[in-house]
């Protein structure tokens, strides 16, 4: 299984709005699959030829190539800070084989019956005469009427052709843009609708993407250019001054990334011959839905007629910051590196999980992150583990006691440990995947452990009914031990640290059921408690530093 988080544009570093969606989600998902024994890989890269890179280069008085290289390195570092395990990071610039493969795919597209050379309307700046698309133009979406950028509406997900934007405005001058014409190859989406429909039905996409497809189909005949005039990008063979549009390029770039991964592992995976045994999973924000779920299946059907792609889609909505969209250009952002450190990464991942925008937009605030750290992780999780560890250390020399008398409450608690394990498995699995549900469930489970402990914490009872007390402690150590593997996809660093303090605990494989820890098992959580005693990150304690 090849799990892709949409390649980020290297025109800036990654902020928490980026991280909360595709990258965090794909990492959690891939980690779980590998624990289940599935041959799964997390792939991404830097989308170097995006027009937004050239825009950033103009602003920085640099070159697009320098901007792409610099921010690709920053992005890789930020993903590492988030403990995202990337098995293949493909930079699209500077790889001769990549360019040759893209050119071959472009030639195949040109020979497709669904691609025609057309002299069609295009938008130009009234003063400079420059061709306008993507970041160079904005206006009102022809589909929903909301504010939209060139080529896509982030609000409703619908594509546009720039010249069909109402109240269009150019980034280059104050004059209203003018409509001209341009000769270029275009993909007739309406000729691909049947293939797209079959693919979407088989893939089980969210209903919101089906709604997007239905709205696009209502347009009837609809074609999208596959090249644009630009001096930044892969040259479009046969069309001087034009480059291959970066979104079709990305579709084939995914296949090249699989080939590159295979090369590093000694596997003969070929981008030009994608296998029917390849299971592909895409993680992306809803604003990219048209490209990933509609355009790419259409392109694959035209270029690889032998291939029946098996693709699943996991889509997130926008993650807001204090009620507004994260914005790099407006400096309305909390950057990953500002809040991530070895001691805080688990808390950040837990909070991103609890607030991840799945099916709806959610909001991030620094105050809420601090509450997750102080009121949940420190006050509930670590306090429970510390009290449990102290009692095991004092009364049983750091060894798990044998259970004694079982009450109905004890049996019910043991049953709830298994219910929790199964619920986490469902939350990580493809059919019911939800990082937010997994994070919520583990918090509820730890609270349940605290309530169970509180109901048994009576000094006199421990003295006169030690058999009952041993049962309570034995079950709590079992609950602590099950946290290690079930938290491994969500909070891998904390899970590994916890597992090292409990003999037999593992984060390598997913537990099929809950097994009580054997009497005499070493149980020493001292290292985890010492390591996580303080956040160690001033950014979580001082908002002004941001």
């Amino acid at each position: 299984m090849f799990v892709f988080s949409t390649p980020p544009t290297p025109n800036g570093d990654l902020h928490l709005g980026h991280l909360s969606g595709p990258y965090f989600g794909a990492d959690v998902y891939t980690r779980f699959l590998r624990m289940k024994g599935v041959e799964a890989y997390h792939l991404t890269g830097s989308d170097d030829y995006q027009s937004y890179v050239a825009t950033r280069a103009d602003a920085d008085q640099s070159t697009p190539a320098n901007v792409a290289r610099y921010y690709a390195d920053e992005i890789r570092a930020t993903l590492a800070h988030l403990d995202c395990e990337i098995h293949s990071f493909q930079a699209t610039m500077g790889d001769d084989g990549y360019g040759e493969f893209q050119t071959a795919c472009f030639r195949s597209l040109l020979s497709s019956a669904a691609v025609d050379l057309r002299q069609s309307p295009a938008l130009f700046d009234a003063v400079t005469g420059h061709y306008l698309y993507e970041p160079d133009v904005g206006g009102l979406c022809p589909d929903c009427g909301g504010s939209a950028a060139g080529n896509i509406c982030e609000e409703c997900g619908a594509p546009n052709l720039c010249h069909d934007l109402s109240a269009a405005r150019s980034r280059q001058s104050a004059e209203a843009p003018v409509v001209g014409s341009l000769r270029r190859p275009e993909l007739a989406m309406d000729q691909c609708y049947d293939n797209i429909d079959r693919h979407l039905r088989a893939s089980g996409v969210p209903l919101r993407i089906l709604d997007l497809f239905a709205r696009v189909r209502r347009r009837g005949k609809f074609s999208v250019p596959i090249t644009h005039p630009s001096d930044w990008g892969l040259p479009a063979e046969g069309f001087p001054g034009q480059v291959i549009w970066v979104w079709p390029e990305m579709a084939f770039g995914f296949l090249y990334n699989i080939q590159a991964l295979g090369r590093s592992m000694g596997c003969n995976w070929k981008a030009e011959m994608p296998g029917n045994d390849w299971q592909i999973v895409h993680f992306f924000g809803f604003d990219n839905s048209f490209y990933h779920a509609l355009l790419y299946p259409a392109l694959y059907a035209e270029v690889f007629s032998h291939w029946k792609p098996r693709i699943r889609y996991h889509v997130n909505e926008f993650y807001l910051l204090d009620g507004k969209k994260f914005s790099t250009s407006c400096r309305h952002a909390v950057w990953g590196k500002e809040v991530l450190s070895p001691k805080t990464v688990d808390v950040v991942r837990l909070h991103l999980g609890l607030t991840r925008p799945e099916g709806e937009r959610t909001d991030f605030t620094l105050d809420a992150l601090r509450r997750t750290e102080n009121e949940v992780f420190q006050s509930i999780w670590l306090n429970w583990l510390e009290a449990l560890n102290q009692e095991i250390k004092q009364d049983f020399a750091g060894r798990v006691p044998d259970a004694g008398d079982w009450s109905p409450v004890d049996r019910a608690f043991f049953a709830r440990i298994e219910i929790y394990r199964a619920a986490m498995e469902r939350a990580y699995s493809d059919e019911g995947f939800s990082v937010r549900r997994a994070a919520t469930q583990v918090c509820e489970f730890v609270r349940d452990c605290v309530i169970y402990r509180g109901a048994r914490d009576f000094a006199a009872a421990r003295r006169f009914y030690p058999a009952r007390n041993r049962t309570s402690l034995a079950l709590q150590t079992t609950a602590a031990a099950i946290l290690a593997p079930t938290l491994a996809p969500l909070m891998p660093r904390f899970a590994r640290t916890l597992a090292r303090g409990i003999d037999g605990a593992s984060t390598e494989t997913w537990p099929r059921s809950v097994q009580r820890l054997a009497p005499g098992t070493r149980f020493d959580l001292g290292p985890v408690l010492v390591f996580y005693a303080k956040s160690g990150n001033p950014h979580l304690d001082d908002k002004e530093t941001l």
Side-chain angles (χ1 to χ4, degrees), residues 282-357:
H282 283 297
F283 280 78
F284 55 89
F286 175 74
D287 53 319
N288 286 336
S289 295
F290 170 75
Y291 304 124
H292 283 266
L294 276 62
L295 179 62
Y296 295 175
L299 293 170
Y300 291 150
E302 297 305 315
V303 175
F304 306 107
S305 58
H306 69 283
W307 185 39
K308 303 298 181 185
R310 299 161 57 213
I311 306 177
R312 293 273 188 174
Y313 302 96
H314 290 288
V315 186
N316 63 271
E317 299 292 335
F318 280 118
Y319 198 41
L320 307 178
L321 171 60
D322 295 321
K324 299 179 182 179
K325 290 181 182 177
F326 278 80
S327 172
T328 300
S329 59
C330 297
R331 298 186 181 276
H332 183 66
V334 175
W335 303 100
K337 292 188 181 77
E338 291 180 315
V339 295
L340 291 167
S341 74
K343 288 188 177 182
T344 61
V345 60
D346 292 294
V347 171
V348 173
R349 285 177 68 111
L350 175 62
H351 186 74
L352 292 182
L354 290 169
T355 57
R356 190 168 185 265

Side-chain angles (χ1 to χ4, degrees), residues 350 353-354 435-445 447 490:
L350 175 62
L354 290 169
V435 181
R436 195 161 78 182
R437 189 177 302 115
T440 300
Q441 284 171 166
V442 70
C443 287
E444 291 175 351
F445 176 66
R447 287 191 184 96
L490 181 68

